[in-house]
Amino acid sequence: MSAPLLDKRLNAMTVDVEDYFQVSAFESVLKPSDWSSIPLRVEENTHRLLDVFAEHDAKSTFFTLGWVAQRCPNLIKRIVAEGHELASHGLNHRRATTMTREEFINDVKTSKDILEDAGGVAVKGYRAPSFSVNDNNQWIYEVLVELGFEYSSSTYPISHDLYGVPEWPRFKYQRPEGITEIPIPTIKKNDKNVGIGGGGYFRLYPYWLSRKRIQAFMETETAPYSFYFHPWEIDPDQPKIANAPIKSKVRHYINLGRMEGKLKRLLLDYRWGTMADAYELK
């Protein structure tokens, strides 16, 4: 018999669907032009995640690269068929901060078209690769509205060496452009925002500590919690990128062998649905 839930609210499980060689941490040594020569692991890993979600009666939003959807259409069909939400993570994981407006329009529109063709559903959500929306490219929201998106989850209000907008809102809010932004969750500690949304932080810390931080959010906030991670994080056997920067390798490879077990505990402790359901976006 399962232990009782730690909190009864519906929270949002999210997966950023990209392969291990597409992450921003390796972009200095692996270019998109290299990707087609590398065997895919994302399809098998994401199917494993779908199996895990089915076992735990959990739904998720899959923020998926158009590049992946183009090569794995059956995966996209399964995501939709099993009641999960299909959303965009851009075309080929190029950070929004590196694109002009015209480049961004082409990137996101192409991704949206590929996803909708493969899944047969409207794509309403977007997440910028590496949370690459900040004070300098807020025009992105105008483009998203023009392309028919209804919400974004592209900001992490923390201080981080690769991303972060610590002064931006911490909770779901309506942008003046007419789109909803849902930031990655944080807690306040010593008047500073601390990231608790998943990813590397979740792999780094023991599960009891991550759960303690999530519980702190639950006990002080009424908003849903959302969690994000990637299919490659449950794949400890993935090839190693030998010439990547040391810092990037440490961040990428730490505790990969423990991630799936932690994820299953998380699925047992809380209720999980899509972004659309948890944040009442329908």
Side-chain angles (χ1 to χ4, degrees):
M1 187 173 179
S2 299
L5 293 169
L6 299 180
D7 188 278
K8 293 184 178 180
R9 83 190 72 177
L10 183 66
N11 302 291
M13 176 63 62
T14 73
V15 182
D16 292 357
V17 184
E18 62 202 52
D19 219 328
Y20 72 97
F21 52 80
Q22 297 175 311
V23 300
S24 295
F26 295 154
E27 67 185 11
S28 64
V29 293
L30 284 173
K31 307 299 182 188
S33 57
D34 302 321
W35 293 351
S36 294
S37 64
I38 304 174
L40 292 181
R41 299 178 71 87
V42 65
E43 185 167 20
E44 180 181 347
N45 289 331
T46 308
H47 277 299
R48 280 176 56 201
L49 287 177
L50 286 163
D51 292 341
V52 170
F53 291 156
E55 290 167 8
H56 292 81
D57 194 26
K59 299 302 180 188
S60 176
T61 294
F62 287 79
F63 289 100
T64 306
L65 291 183
W67 190 96
V68 171
Q70 204 165 36
R71 288 157 179 80
C72 308
N74 289 334
L75 174 63
I76 305 306
K77 288 177 172 60
R78 182 181 175 191
I79 288 171
V80 173
E82 296 189 2
H84 301 283
E85 180 186 11
L86 184 63
S88 172
H89 198 35
L91 181 60
N92 59 6
H93 212 264
R94 185 175 175 186
R95 286 173 291 126
T97 46
T98 70
M99 288 188 272
T100 65
R101 187 181 185 115
E102 185 173 346
E103 289 171 332
F104 183 78
I105 291 171
N106 181 65
D107 180 282
V108 179
K109 185 181 186 305
T110 302
S111 168
K112 190 172 189 286
D113 289 345
I114 292 169
L115 291 166
E116 291 182 340
D117 286 347
V121 294
V123 169
K124 300 178 180 179
Y126 170 78
R127 174 171 286 161
S130 300
F131 309 112
S132 51
V133 175
N134 58 35
D135 290 326
N136 298 320
N137 63 353
Q138 295 185 65
W139 50 262
I140 278 171
Y141 291 112
E142 297 174 358
V143 173
L144 293 177
V145 171
E146 291 169 6
L147 294 177
F149 288 91
E150 297 181 7
Y151 77 91
S152 161
S153 181
S154 300
T155 57
Y156 208 159
I158 60 172
S159 294
H160 190 280
D161 60 336
L162 299 178
Y163 52 75
V165 281
E167 305 304 321
W168 282 36
R170 293 176 57 221
F171 302 102
K172 168 189 168 184
Y173 69 104
Q174 188 75 5
R175 292 279 313 182
E177 298 86 356
I179 189 170
T180 299
E181 172 65 29
I182 305 172
I184 303 300
T186 58
I187 54 174
K188 283 284 190 181
K189 189 171 183 180
N190 298 326
D191 222 23
K192 181 180 178 182
N193 294 345
V194 176
I196 60 165
Y201 291 107
F202 187 76
R203 280 187 288 117
L204 173 64
Y205 299 132
Y207 181 73
W208 67 264
L209 179 55
S210 291
R211 186 172 69 176
K212 179 180 179 181
R213 287 149 61 96
I214 294 169
Q215 272 301 105
F217 178 95
M218 299 289 188
E219 291 167 7
T220 57
E221 312 297 347
T222 58
Y225 169 78
S226 68
F227 181 81
Y228 83 93
F229 72 112
H230 312 82
W232 56 261
E233 291 186 271
I234 63 161
D235 183 11
D237 298 323
Q238 65 190 261
K240 300 296 188 290
I241 309 300
N243 56 340
I246 293 176
K247 189 175 184 180
S248 296
K249 288 194 286 189
V250 170
R251 284 176 168 171
H252 186 90
Y253 296 119
I254 192 166
N255 290 340
L256 292 179
R258 300 179 182 179
M259 180 65 179
E260 188 168 347
K262 291 181 180 181
L263 174 66
K264 289 178 178 178
R265 295 180 68 181
L266 188 68
L267 291 171
L268 289 171
D269 282 338
Y270 302 97
R271 291 179 63 218
W272 298 102
T274 65
M275 292 286 279
D277 287 336
Y279 290 95
E280 300 180 342
L281 297 169
K282 292 184 177 180

